[in-house]
């Protein structure tokens, strides 16, 4: 085997997987994982660790895989991550740990993400228990939201000996992991539910159907319920729109609604009666991971799908793997294209989307070249459904019901980068509620930071 190339990962055939919601990637088996682990140089000054937002000891866990000690590998990962089976599937490793891998200079980087997934799946299959705190310290922390930042913060605090309760607004635990990411990328029963169970095994308590800001407030958690600190990890679930004509028409959705109906409420399954307009011809506006998820979901529901994105392929913010999978499955990419109007019939139903061609000008504040319309280049795409995947912002419910909680101009909670502490004493925040929509692993990193900040705050109080 060529040591400079990754051990290839088996996947479903594109034509087959485009018709089902089964997981696309099969992952490594034992022999493949050990062969890939052999490629790791076990660098003393491991640059890959610097690219991991939760600082997993990558060389040591891979060394344990190389030796065939998968339980040891799991516990090494578990020192820094409570959700390895999730991270191994949805983290953008290619722009984080793997981008810094020495092997990648002259060949292909070690497949760190796929090795993490293998270890985590092996541990779930063999029901390996996570290491728990030796003793409780008697202090109580409330965590709002069971998404990646909340689960990470709760898990880390439990390992430190805190009595932690997670409050979730929905009827399932996992936040964006259950309502946002499709089954074919992240299986809910096989992976998410089991990872939540591992956090529960650390001693964390969970309460669902609790909408903080309505059911009870942050102040009530602290002053009536007696929690010593609160972590807000409520995510960013408020969808953004373009403000163009026709966005209120029948057949135009936010990606948030479309994916929630399909993923959390199982609209793709015949044994569920969740309504969803699948559409026969669908346009998805946007170029991020959520746009790819919505497009690939619509395809599996039987639609012809077009992705409309105003910049070029170089600027696509989605993971390269997701873009490649979408192309393999037959999704059409209309790049350097921007919608100007959603066309409707007399019944106010979507019948098309009017677009204009774009060209790239000077860089904007994000560092990417600004798309500029080409005058007179308008054209129509015949569609009956439009899905807007333009990003999300935090729901204002918690800040509006919490006295003394500072917000910024983007309606995000202001929190210290190094501790997660907000303007309100004893209240910490992290993840998308602070940064706006970002990746799962960055939310986890924020949860980890806040757990350390809460520990330091309560230890010195």
């Amino acid at each position: 085997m060529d040591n400079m190339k990754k051990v290839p990962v088996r996947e479903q055939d594109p034509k087959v997987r485009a018709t089902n919601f089964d997981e696309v990637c099969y992952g490594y088996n034992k022999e493949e994982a050990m062969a890939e682990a052999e490629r790791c140089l076990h660098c003393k000054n491991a640059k890959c660790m610097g690219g991991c937002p939760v600082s997993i000891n990558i060389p040591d866990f891979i060394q344990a895989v190389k030796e065939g000690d998968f339980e040891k590998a799991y516990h090494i990962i578990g020192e820094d991550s409570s959700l390895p089976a999730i991270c191994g599937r949805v983290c953008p490793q290619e722009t984080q740990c793997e981008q810094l891998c020495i092997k990648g200079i002259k060949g292909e980087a070690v497949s760190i993400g796929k090795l993490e997934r293998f270890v985590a799946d092996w541990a779930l299959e063999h029901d390996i228990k996570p290491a728990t705190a030796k003793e409780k310290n008697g202090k109580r922390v409330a965590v709002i939201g069971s998404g990646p930042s909340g689960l990470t913060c709760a898990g880390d605090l439990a390992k430190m000996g805190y009595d932690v309760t997670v409050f979730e607004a929905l009827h399932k635990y996992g936040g964006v992991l259950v309502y946002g990411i499709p089954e074919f990328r992240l299986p809910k029963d096989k992976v998410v539910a089991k990872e939540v169970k591992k956090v529960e095994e650390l001693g964390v308590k969970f309460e669902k159907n609790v909408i903080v800001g309505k059911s009870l407030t942050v102040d009530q958690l602290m002053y009536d319920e007696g929690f010593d600190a609160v972590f807000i990890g409520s995510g960013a679930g408020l969808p953004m729109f373009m403000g163009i004509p026709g966005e209120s028409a029948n057949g135009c959705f936010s990606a948030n609604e479309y994916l929630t109906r399909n993923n959390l409420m199982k609209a793709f399954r015949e044994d569920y009666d969740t309504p969803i307009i699948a559409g026969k011809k669908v346009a998805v506006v946007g170029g991020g991971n959520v746009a790819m998820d919505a497009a690939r979901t619509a395809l599996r529901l039987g639609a012809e799908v077009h992705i409309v994105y105003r910049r070029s392929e170089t600027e696509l913010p989605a993971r390269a793997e997701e873009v490649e999978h979408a192309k393999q499955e037959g999704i059409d990419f209309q790049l350097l294209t921007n919608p100007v109007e959603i066309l409707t019939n007399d019944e106010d139903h979507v019948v098309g989307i009017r677009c204009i061609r774009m060209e790239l000008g000077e860089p904007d504040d994000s560092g990417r070249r600004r798309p500029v319309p080409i005058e007179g280049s308008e054209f129509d795409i015949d569609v009956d459904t439009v899905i807007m995947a333009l990003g999300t912002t935090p729901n204002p419910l918690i800040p509006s019901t919490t006295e003394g909680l500072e917000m910024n101009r983007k309606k995000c909670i202001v929190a210290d980068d190094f501790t997660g502490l907000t303007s309100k004493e004893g209240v910490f925040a992290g993840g998308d509620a602070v940064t706006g929509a970002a990746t799962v692993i960055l939310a986890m990193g924020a949860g980890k930071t806040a757990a350390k900040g809460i520990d330091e705050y309560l230890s010195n109080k």
Side-chain angles (χ1 to χ4, degrees), residues 319-332:
R319 288 185 70 187
E321 181 178 74
E322 302 309 317
V323 174
E324 184 61 27
H325 281 164
K327 286 182 177 178
Q328 289 171 354
E329 291 163 8
I331 290 170
D332 171 54

Side-chain angles (χ1 to χ4, degrees), residues 219-363:
D219 289 326
Q220 286 174 321
L221 284 172
M222 297 186 76
Y223 307 129
D224 297 343
E225 301 294 328
F227 286 98
D228 298 291
V230 173
F231 173 74
I232 302 171
S234 49
L238 196 63
M240 297 166 66
F241 289 89
M242 291 184 70
I244 61 175
E247 273 185 308
S248 61
N250 296 322
C252 182
F253 304 91
S254 68
N256 216 34
E257 178 185 353
Y258 194 81
L259 290 170
T260 298
R261 284 177 181 270
N262 196 72
N263 302 335
L264 177 69
M265 302 169 73
K266 309 293 185 190
F268 69 93
R269 283 175 47 173
E270 291 184 3
D271 54 332
Y272 278 71
D273 59 2
T274 303
I276 190 167
I277 297 176
K280 292 181 179 177
K281 294 184 178 180
V282 175
V284 177
V285 181
N289 288 326
V290 174
M292 300 304 138
D293 286 345
R296 296 174 69 199
T297 294
L299 180 82
R300 284 159 170 77
L301 291 173
E304 170 194 299
V305 184
H306 308 271
I307 285 177
V308 179
Y309 179 60
R310 63 185 184 149
R311 288 184 165 96
S312 73
E313 183 164 350
T314 306
E315 289 81 25
L316 275 170
R319 288 185 70 187
E321 181 178 74
E322 302 309 317
V323 174
E324 184 61 27
H325 281 164
K327 286 182 177 178
Q328 289 171 354
E329 291 163 8
I331 290 170
D332 171 54
F333 281 73
Q334 293 284 338
L335 302 174
L336 288 168
T337 301
N338 205 36
V340 293
E341 182 182 358
I342 295 168
L343 307 174
T344 59
N345 60 17
D346 292 341
E347 286 79 41
D348 198 33
H349 198 290
V350 173
V351 294
I353 185 167
R354 181 156 293 160
C355 301
I356 189 166
R357 297 291 184 193
M358 312 291 281
E359 59 186 356
L360 296 179
E362 295 300 312

Side-chain angles (χ1 to χ4, degrees), residues 44 66 100 104 115 136 151 235 253 296 328 360 377 422:
K44 288 184 178 178
K66 191 186 298 187
L100 300 177
L115 288 174
K136 294 281 188 180
L151 289 173
F253 304 91
R296 296 174 69 199
Q328 289 171 354
L360 296 179
S377 65
T422 69

Side-chain angles (χ1 to χ4, degrees), residues 87 90-97 289 319 439-441:
C87 290
V90 303
C91 270
Q93 291 98 359
E94 67 277 4
T95 59
Q96 294 179 158
C97 53
N289 288 326
R319 288 185 70 187
T439 62
V440 167
I441 190 65

Side-chain angles (χ1 to χ4, degrees), residues 20 66 86 104 125 152 165 173 188 197 209 223 237 267 275 282 310 335 339-340 342 354 370 411 446:
N20 66 55
K66 191 186 298 187
I86 292 167
E125 185 183 338
T152 299
T165 303
Y173 301 119
K188 306 300 170 261
K197 185 78 163 46
N209 301 315
Y223 307 129
V282 175
R310 63 185 184 149
L335 302 174
V340 293
I342 295 168
R354 181 156 293 160
R370 185 188 302 275
K411 307 297 183 187

Side-chain angles (χ1 to χ4, degrees), residues 41-116:
L41 301 174
H42 204 275
C43 306
K44 288 184 178 178
N45 180 23
K47 293 185 177 180
C48 56
M49 287 180 63
C52 176
V54 295
S55 304
I56 289 170
N57 189 334
I58 294 167
D60 280 7
F61 105 70
I62 292 180
Q63 180 63 31
V65 174
K66 191 186 298 187
E67 295 166 357
D69 193 342
F70 308 136
E71 183 169 352
K72 179 182 178 183
Y74 174 70
H75 287 305
I76 291 170
I77 295 172
E79 290 172 9
D80 301 292
S81 173
S82 299
L83 309 171
I86 292 167
C87 290
R89 285 170 165 82
V90 303
C91 270
Q93 291 98 359
E94 67 277 4
T95 59
Q96 294 179 158
C97 53
E98 292 181 17
Q99 188 176 48
L100 300 177
C101 176
I102 295 296
K103 293 285 280 193
I105 296 174
K106 291 185 178 180
E108 294 181 353
V110 174
S111 195
I112 299 168
K114 296 295 189 289
L115 288 174
E116 180 183 20

Side-chain angles (χ1 to χ4, degrees), residues 118-131:
F118 165 77
V119 170
D121 284 358
W122 183 92
L124 289 176
E125 185 183 338
H126 292 82
D127 196 25
I128 306 300
K129 305 293 183 190

